Amino acid sequence: MNKRFIAILLAGLLSASAWSADAGAGVSAGRPAAPAGRPLVVDQPYSATHTLTMRRQQRDGAEATHRTVTKLYRDSAGRARRDLLDGEGNPTHSFIIDTDGAVIVLDHRNRLVTRRAARRVAPVIDMSAAALRKAEARPPVESLGERDIEGVTATGESTRHRIRTAAGSFEIVTESWTSKELGLTLHVRNSDPKGESVIAISDLERGEPDPALFAAPEDYQLKPEA
């Protein structure tokens, strides 16, 4: 796995949406902020499997499917871990985010650890006229009510967004289901005329993960940050 791919993965993992929906579950004013300036979700520990499935129609009409499976963990303090799994279910890389936003990257194949200092960014509210026009242009949200997913209550919503190109226009439909209690998005489906992508949480277990998951193994060699 090359450095560019690792950097892209890490950027995605540092975004709040990669770890939770920030639905306000267990938020404590006395806790530090998460990396994107959002409050931590505390006292809601869990372990789960996160599966991303992408299906796209090729020019020849055939359908291509790509699936990525990761394991997610969060402890009561709000620390989070994501394990990227290979085809046999073994972790190749792990990303651990501490309560202050510091990151540990584990390369299991080479038994290396990279540490990245906390990089908390205060939220910026853009009140410019352009930002307000963009907010007003956002597609309306349709409520889908509630349903049970993995033993917890999830609230659903759907949006439709039309994309215009030189060749015409097409519509993207997004359906998402979020547990307000856990502060976690449990299911997301994005679809357009060329295919769809689905994020699904499964094997959800409520309870404290092993504390050893949130620290680097002692026998891993420290790798300086690039």
Side-chain angles (χ1 to χ4, degrees), residues 3 16 36 55 60 74 91 104 110 113-114 124 128 131 141 145 163 169 173 186 191 196 215-216 219:
K3 293 181 179 179
R55 301 182 182 91
D60 60 3
R74 184 173 69 207
I104 297 175
N110 297 303
V113 54
T114 302
V124 177
S128 65
V141 176
I163 303 296
S169 65
V173 180
L186 299 170
S191 60
E196 68 174 12
D219 59 342

Side-chain angles (χ1 to χ4, degrees), residues 34-54:
R38 300 189 179 193
L40 291 174
V41 178
V42 299
D43 300 325
Q44 291 291 341
Y46 73 89
S47 304
T49 299
H50 173 287
T51 303
L52 168 62
T53 304
M54 300 182 68

